[in-house]
Amino acid sequence: MAKHRVGVLGGYFDPFHQGHLRMAQAALDGGYVDHVLVLPAGGSPDQPCVASPEDRWQMAVAACSVDSRLEVGRLALDRSDASLPVETLRRLHAAMEKLG
């Protein structure tokens, strides 16, 4: 059985815009991945966001609703501490290992 290839697009998405969407769709349409998981980042003292975490989540959900191959996750957004991308990827990998 072929493996399901998942791409990860993370960022603050403040705001989520067409460039983010086009990047994800290019990876999908180019055959590089089968699915893209969009992960809005939580807060950071180094990069203050204008939009609230919930507003950034809603923007990503609305934008990604145009393509069923896009899914928005809260893995980095719901952390109480500033999440480093490497930690988010470790948590994602561990969660996917549990699923098999």
Side-chain angles (χ1 to χ4, degrees):
M1 184 164 106
K3 286 199 173 212
H4 186 75
R5 298 166 303 158
V6 178
V8 177
L9 177 61
Y12 289 103
F13 305 128
D14 190 27
F16 195 94
H17 53 74
Q18 287 296 315
H20 297 122
L21 189 59
R22 287 185 185 139
M23 215 176 0
Q25 288 178 315
L28 290 161
D29 295 342
Y32 301 105
V33 296
D34 303 307
H35 185 91
V36 174
L37 180 58
V38 176
L39 296 175
S44 167
D46 299 332
Q47 177 142 355
C49 293
V50 175
S52 72
E54 198 58 35
D55 286 345
R56 293 184 293 111
W57 160 260
Q58 292 296 332
M59 283 187 275
V61 168
C64 292
S65 69
V66 301
D67 192 324
S68 63
R69 302 171 297 171
L70 300 172
E71 179 182 347
V72 183
R74 297 187 69 100
L75 189 64
L77 191 66
D78 289 340
R79 290 187 59 146
S80 59
D81 56 344
S83 59
L84 297 173
V86 68
E87 291 302 322
T88 298
L89 290 173
R90 283 183 184 138
R91 291 177 67 213
L92 179 60
H93 185 264
M96 292 179 82
E97 287 279 314
K98 287 180 185 177
L99 295 175

